[in-house]
Amino acid sequence: MLVSGNGGGVAGYLMKLFTIGDSISQGFMSGAAARTNLAYSTLIAGCMGLEDGYEHPRWAAGGLPINLEIILRRLERQYGDNVNPLEWALALRTVNRVIEDAEDYYERGDGRADAPYTGNGAEVMFFHNVAFQGCDVADSWALTPAVCQEMISKAESGGDDFLPFSGPNAAYYRTALKVLNPSLEAEYDEFSQIRWLAEHASKDEGVENLILWLGANNALGTVVTLQINQTPNDPQNRPHEMPHPERAGHRWNLWHPADFEAEYGKLLEKVDEAMRGNDSEKDWKVFVGNVPLVTIAPLAKGVGPTMEIERDGKTSVYFKYYTYFPFEENDVRERDIIYLTLAEALHIDDCIRAYNRDISRLLDEKNKEQPKKRYYLVDTCGILESLASSATPGR
C-alpha cells in the first residue's frame, strides 16, 4: 500500500491534483530547484485547499544544481554591493565554497543518491508533483529511478568531483531520482512520471485533475548553449523510441517538428491510458500547457536592431542577435562572443510554433475519443508572448 507523509493520505482516496512537468512546474528559481513552495502548482494546490495533502519535494543546501541567489547574497554580505579588483580572488573562493556546500550535501551528505529523502519531515513514498528540471517529453516515461542510478554511477566514476566550480555531478539525475523514488524502495525503481500517474489513477477514485506541461526542454537547450543541434527526422528511428541514455548521448537540443509530433502523440496516448484507469463516468480533467517561445525565456538576451516578423497572424519583435546577458551588440560584432542570429532564433521559434499547433490538434483528437471533454489547452505560449510584446520598448 502506498502511503504519503504529512497527511498525503492512503492510496485509494481521490487525488485532487497531480502534476507532471519540468523545471517550471517543479519550482526552479535562480538556477536551482529551490523554492518549490512557490511553484505555480503548489500555489494552485493551496487555492484548492490542499496545503496539507499535496506533497512536493523540499530541497536543502539551496537545491540542485547551484543556487545563484545564495551565491549573490553571500557575496553581498561579505563584500558589499561591489567587489573591487583586489577582492576578486577572495570572492571567487567564496563562490566556490557555496558550490562545494551543495556538492558535499548532494554527493556525500544527507542528500546523496543512496540516502532516502527526508526533506518533508516524515517518510514520503511519493509526491503529488513529480516535475523535475530538464525533463523532456519522452523522459516522462523513459526516465526511471533505475536509469537515474545508472547515470549517477557513471558520473561518480568520471573523476570530476574535485574540479572547482563544478557543483554536484549528475544534478539532473539526482533531482529526478529524489522526485521519482524518494523512499529508494526497490519496488519503485521503474516508476517514471507516467507510471506514477497510472498508479494513482488506478486507485478507487483516481486522479481528478492532472496538470501536464512538457515540451520546453525539447527546444530550450538552444538558448542555453546558443547553438542548434536538431534531431534528424528519421521516421525509422525517432528519438522517443531510443532508451534514455542513448537519446541523451546525442545531445539534441531542438526536436524536428515531425519528431516532436510523434513524441507528444505518444505522451498523450500514455496519459490517456493512465487516466482511463478511472471509471469513464468520473469527471477527470487534464490541463495541458503548450511550449513558450525560447526568445521569451529569460536565458538569452536580444541585442542590436529589431525587426517585426509576422507568424500565425501575430507580429513579434526579433533582435539581430541573441547572446548571454552580460554582453551587448558591440561584444557580438567585435569580440569572439557566442550568439544566435535572427534567422536561427526565428527557426527555433518556428519549430515551437509547429509544436504548439500539433499539441492543439492532438488534444482535439483526444477529446473526440472521450464521452466528454477531458483535455484543456492552456496557451502559456500566447500569454507569455503577449506579455513580452507589451513590455518591448516602442510597442
Side-chain angles (χ1 to χ4, degrees), residues 118-176:
T118 58
N120 291 25
E123 182 182 19
V124 177
M125 304 300 289
F126 65 84
F127 294 111
H128 296 75
N129 181 352
V130 292
F132 52 85
Q133 63 191 66
C135 183
D136 64 31
V137 171
D139 281 345
S140 65
W141 69 84
L143 191 64
T144 64
V147 173
C148 292
Q149 290 165 343
E150 174 189 347
M151 302 301 282
I152 292 168
S153 294
K154 289 181 179 179
E156 289 178 337
S157 65
D160 64 349
D161 283 357
F162 301 103
L163 293 176
F165 307 106
S166 61
N169 59 39
Y172 171 54
Y173 298 103
R174 292 180 186 276
T175 305

Side-chain angles (χ1 to χ4, degrees), residues 5 18 27 36 56 89 91 116 154 213 247 269 277 288 298 306 317 336 392:
F18 191 73
T36 50
H56 61 277
K154 289 181 179 179
W213 193 4
R247 180 162 47 89
E269 288 178 11
V288 181
T306 60
V317 175
D336 188 19
T392 301

Side-chain angles (χ1 to χ4, degrees), residues 228-294:
I228 297 175
N229 181 22
Q230 188 162 0
T231 62
N233 184 25
D234 178 1
Q236 305 303 316
N237 197 23
R238 297 291 188 191
H240 73 271
E241 296 170 341
M242 302 176 182
H244 171 84
E246 178 185 351
R247 180 162 47 89
H250 287 285
R251 299 186 180 275
W252 288 314
N253 60 17
L254 181 65
W255 265 235
H256 187 283
D259 288 324
F260 184 89
E261 178 188 12
E263 194 161 308
Y264 208 90
K266 189 72 171 179
L267 168 66
L268 291 182
E269 288 178 11
K270 289 180 176 294
V271 168
D272 204 65
E273 180 182 0
M275 294 300 285
R276 285 176 185 267
N278 292 322
D279 187 321
S280 61
E281 297 302 315
K282 295 289 184 359
D283 190 24
W284 57 266
K285 297 180 176 66
V286 181
F287 299 92
V288 181
N290 59 11
V291 184
L293 302 178
V294 295

Side-chain angles (χ1 to χ4, degrees), residues 183-260:
S183 68
L184 296 183
E185 294 288 343
E187 63 182 296
Y188 305 128
D189 275 348
E190 300 301 327
F191 273 56
S192 63
Q193 291 179 333
I194 296 295
R195 177 71 182 277
W196 274 117
L197 173 65
E199 180 74 14
H200 296 307
S202 68
K203 305 296 182 183
D204 295 348
E205 298 295 327
V207 176
E208 184 175 45
N209 299 290
L210 169 65
I211 296 175
L212 178 67
W213 193 4
L214 287 171
N217 285 300
N218 293 76
L220 197 60
T222 55
V223 290
V224 175
T225 63
L226 297 180
Q227 295 176 329
I228 297 175
N229 181 22
Q230 188 162 0
T231 62
N233 184 25
D234 178 1
Q236 305 303 316
N237 197 23
R238 297 291 188 191
H240 73 271
E241 296 170 341
M242 302 176 182
H244 171 84
E246 178 185 351
R247 180 162 47 89
H250 287 285
R251 299 186 180 275
W252 288 314
N253 60 17
L254 181 65
W255 265 235
H256 187 283
D259 288 324
F260 184 89

